[in-house]
Amino acid sequence: MPLTALGLILVAAITHAGWNLVLKQAKQKLVFMWWALVVGTICFLFLLTTSPPLPSRVWPYAISSALAEAAYYFALTWAYDIDD
């Protein structure tokens, strides 16, 4: 495995663990999650507007993926509200 790939995996793991830690410690988890999704959406919309256009057949998958990811985030927030 190339060192670049290993480094990216390590960065992704650290980022994921850090994100969960920050969310778990937030006082108002739902508000924190909404702001995180708003900022992420703005960043990705910027990328979409500056990159070449995506083929139309990609959009149903992209929208489905975004909805599934949002559902995951809110389920995670709900789970942290209940208990560890």
Side-chain angles (χ1 to χ4, degrees):
M1 177 183 297
L3 286 177
T4 305
L6 188 60
L8 288 173
I9 290 170
L10 184 61
V11 167
I14 291 169
T15 304
H16 185 79
W19 165 258
N20 281 292
L21 178 67
V22 170
L23 174 61
K24 184 179 176 189
Q25 293 179 346
K27 297 288 183 208
Q28 294 183 347
K29 291 173 180 50
L30 193 59
V31 173
F32 176 81
M33 183 60 68
W34 272 109
W35 277 110
L37 288 174
V38 166
V39 169
T41 301
I42 290 169
C43 291
F44 284 112
L45 284 177
F46 174 74
L47 286 175
L48 278 176
T49 59
T50 58
S51 64
L54 294 173
S56 60
R57 67 180 184 273
V58 170
W59 284 106
Y61 298 107
I63 292 169
S64 299
S65 176
L67 291 174
E69 190 75 14
Y72 161 74
Y73 282 144
F74 288 110
L76 181 66
T77 303
W78 176 68
Y80 279 145
D81 274 339
I82 292 174
D83 202 359
D84 287 346

